[in-house]
Amino acid sequence: MCGIVGYIGTREAYPIIIEGLKRLEYRGYDSAGIALFDGTDLKVSKTKGKVSDLEARADKEITKHGNIGIGHTRWATHGVPNDVNSHPHLSNSGDLVIIHNGIIENYESLKQELMTRGFTFQSDTDTEVLINLIEDVKIKENVKLGKAVQIALNQVIGAYAIAVFDKTKPEEIVIARLGSPLAVGVGEDEFFIASDASPFLEYTKNAIYLEDEEMAIIRFHKAIKVRKIKDDTIVPAYVQKLQMNLEQIEKGGYDHFMLKEIHEQPKAITDTYRGRLLRNEAIIKMAGVEDNMKRFLNANRIIIVACGTSWHAGLVAEYIFEDLARIPVEVEYASEFRYRNPVITENDIVIAISQSGETADTLAAIKLAKSKGAFVFGVCNVVGSSIARETDAGAYTHAGPEIGVASTKAFTTQITVLTLMALRLARAKGTINSTDFRQHLLELELIPQKVEEALKSDAHIKMIADIYKDSRNCLYLGRGFNFPVALEGALKLKEISYIHAEGYPAAEMKHGPIALIDENMPIIVIATKKGHYEKVVSNIQEIKSRKGKIIGIVTAGDTQVRDLADHVIEVPDTLESLSPLLTTIPLQLLSYHIAVLLDKNVDQPRNLAKSVTVE
Ligand code: M6R
């Protein structure tokens, strides 16, 4: 993972790099560092901790002056998070400096070889090996930095996005990518380098996204030249106009990004179906589906691959696709799928779901499915991301940037896209009649205002959070379409409050988890009116007779569960298949408030990073 930022131009590089790193802290935040060339020498400052710790240290350590520099915010892979392992890393001569996002898998053997030639190492990182390999090549082959980087990378196995410069030639930065994202902002007489476009949004809307196996030498005052790492072939640098704006990546008055993103859901869901759901004409338009309709209609089955929250959205989609479009669906953890020699045929459709579009396991699952001839459809949020580009066709969620590490609006917008797809296919297959189809369109269009309604329970949910914040464990139960929501609710609580939580299908409780129930165990039960209501009520009775504390997520106006539960949180009524879009909201708010009350770092929970670009 890790975030990288670089600048070369006429401005002071320090503030650009520091502010850029703050925007990339979602990618990792266990240490940070910066290297600047101040006109005469290289100045490096780095530290364990966040970018704010780096600022404090840099204030004391370096002059913070210079028009060329690189910076890094780290999520540790090789070597514990400490000052020495922080990036940037220097070569033995002290001339070359590098930042790196990714993993060099064969670093150990490269290191041994370099040591036999007299190289020494300060850190435990794979990155320090890479910069010394580059230096070794540069000296041995007597080549310029760009060529040395290229030769070295051809000896490397692994994944990387790197930026390197040489203090003896401080007018160029060499960058390269394989498996980790890298964007270049193109300004007037200046270039910005970053893991995504957010660090340079206020300076330029022109961006070049490097593809895998590409590198570039960025020279002050010169046009950028992109080439293949393998064989030097020049590749046309395609400049994209960015659609994002600065407000989208700021907190906008909320205490945390997560809270902002929870509240953005009505708009995000509307943006997701805008232009696709045409209720008056009773049609759904999705170019990626229309263009490949034959494939979808002839598909044996759909295999969904994803990780984390996106995997939960896939599970909801399994219920929706099978129910509406009558297409068999299997949902797979991308990390398992990629390594278990799955049976895939040319008549299978693989749907890859990913907010970031950069998740390494999902990307690898896509490549595997493609190699076996399957058609791969992507559901991504980040436009131009690796997964968006790697898939054969796709649909963006249009949720806008999601910065909080805990996914919220990504989940509901993924479900929205997948529901639109299922409805479109159901119509084409004739598995839904026109009355039901119209009703689904109408109800889907009402979801944003119903989410708005569900958000009004915020104060009530905060009160419940206060009662249960000190629990050590928590159970989440749901059935049918709401079973995956139970999983998602449990994941949200674990990842930001560090309370152990499990999601279960309500009926499975008696096959084991019921043994956990006592008067200290809070159990959140999704018990909306449509969908196995009576069965869930029976499950609630079973919990009650074992003295568990029941928090029911119920349909507005419900009295039966209210009489049994310790607390209820109401959501508006809707179709059963759309209910996950509403029942998710109180679970997001509950985990948010518990984490805040426990004084946890909601947007940057420990050990996590927003996009998991390593396997
Ligand atoms: O970017 P992706 O959707 O591929 O990310 C997948 C997971 O890493 C992600 O959903 C993760 O589980 C979130 N932290 C959950 O809130």
Side-chain angles (χ1 to χ4, degrees), residues 13-15 17-18 21-22 32-36 43-48 50-65 70-71 83 87-88:
Y14 181 82
I17 293 171
I18 290 290
L21 290 178
K22 285 183 184 165
I34 190 165
L36 293 170
K43 303 287 177 209
V44 179
S45 185
K46 54 189 197 168
T47 182
K48 178 181 178 203
K50 296 189 187 294
V51 179
S52 53
D53 298 308
L54 170 65
E55 278 181 289
R57 185 149 187 169
D59 272 346
K60 293 185 214 128
E61 271 182 3
I62 57 172
T63 48
K64 301 193 295 192
H65 168 65
I70 52 181
D83 295 356
H87 298 214

Side-chain angles (χ1 to χ4, degrees), residues 307-310 353-359 362 387 405-407 414 488 491-492 495 608-612:
C307 301
T309 289
S310 298
I353 309 173
S354 174
Q355 186 287 128
S356 61
E358 301 295 346
T359 301
T362 310
I387 292 177
V405 164
S407 255
Q414 286 164 346
E488 173 61 9
L491 175 61
K492 286 291 86 89
E495 70 180 326
L608 287 170
K610 184 71 182 160
S611 39
V612 184

